Amino acid sequence: MEPADLGSDLLSVMLTSEQLATRVAELAAAIDADYAGRDLLLVGVLKGAVMVMADLSRAVHLPVRMDFMAVSSYGSGTRSSGVVRILKDLDADITGLDVLIVEDVVDSGLTLSWLLHNLRSRGAASVEVCALLRKPDAAQVQVDVAYVGFDIPNEFVVGYGLDYAERYRTLPCVATLAPSAYRG
Ligand code: PRP
């Protein structure tokens, strides 16, 4: 899918696929340097993190493992509720592993704050976060994010894994939606 495929649904492209690829490669290089010689498990948070997880994990040279969680923080709307529910848990025990949570976006920070507490209580050697996008102006709780792709304005964005009502995830860039798209 390309922006042109969406006609008038998109308002503007915030981050191009080239910008995303460049930044993901930089994040991967930093992760390679920081985790050399350690036993790293990447934990992708479905569904939004699917694109960054796929690209980041392939850009990292270390022999990492992957696992996934699915949590629900908000339904089909555009605002966080603060209510977090595990829809799919990790497949394996993380005791003694270095865990890096891979997220598409930190919005209010409520999901990550909850996830960090949850995973840290399971006996991992370390738990850190890599988030492609962060909205500093939307923060309701402070979360320590070790690797941030881009700090972006507090606008609702879609693409590269991020959805509106389950649509637009397959767009290769990050974009804002036109007001008319919210009615469809
Ligand atoms: C999004 C995103 C984060 C969370 C961030 O997930 O992937 O997990 O919201 O919001 P917060 O910082 O305000 O808690 P969402 O619940 O939309 O599910 P999805 O990944 O399946 O789209």
Side-chain angles (χ1 to χ4, degrees), residues 28 43 51 59 71 100 115 134 145 152:
V43 172
M51 303 301 176
V71 298
L100 184 61
L115 255 184
R134 180 173 63 181
V145 182
I152 63 170

Side-chain angles (χ1 to χ4, degrees), residues 43-182:
V43 172
V45 185
L46 298 170
K47 301 174 197 166
V50 66
M51 303 301 176
V52 62
M53 182 69 161
D55 288 344
L56 182 76
S57 61
R58 287 180 296 173
V60 166
H61 289 268
L62 294 173
V64 298
R65 285 184 259 181
M66 288 199 275
D67 205 342
F68 293 90
M69 283 184 80
V71 298
S72 159
S73 60
Y74 44 81
S76 59
T78 60
R79 293 266 169 223
S80 295
S81 68
V83 178
V84 178
R85 210 158 47 96
I86 293 183
L87 305 177
K88 182 223 169 291
D89 207 342
L90 296 174
D91 287 340
D93 184 16
I94 58 171
T95 306
L97 298 180
D98 288 301
V99 173
L100 184 61
I101 300 170
V102 178
E103 263 285 23
D104 53 337
V105 62
V106 186
D107 202 314
S108 68
L110 294 167
T111 306
L112 257 187
S113 171
W114 183 91
L115 255 184
L116 275 167
H117 282 111
N118 184 287
L119 295 187
R120 282 179 176 149
S121 72
R122 302 189 194 191
S126 68
V127 183
E128 298 293 344
V129 178
C130 176
L132 180 72
L133 307 175
R134 180 173 63 181
K135 298 179 182 175
D137 296 342
Q140 290 180 32
V141 285
Q142 284 308 316
V143 185
D144 190 19
V145 182
Y147 307 92
V148 180
F150 300 91
D151 277 324
I152 63 170
N154 189 13
E155 294 173 27
F156 192 79
V157 289
V158 297
Y160 200 70
L162 289 98
D163 73 309
Y164 170 65
E166 296 300 328
R167 298 174 66 205
Y168 310 108
R169 289 193 201 275
T170 58
L171 193 65
C173 58
V174 170
T176 52
L177 281 179
S180 57
Y182 292 105

Side-chain angles (χ1 to χ4, degrees), residues 1 10 12-13 15 28 31 69 90 109 130 141 149 176:
M1 172 180 273
L10 297 189
S12 67
V13 173
L15 295 163
I31 291 165
M69 283 184 80
L90 296 174
C130 176
V141 285
T176 52

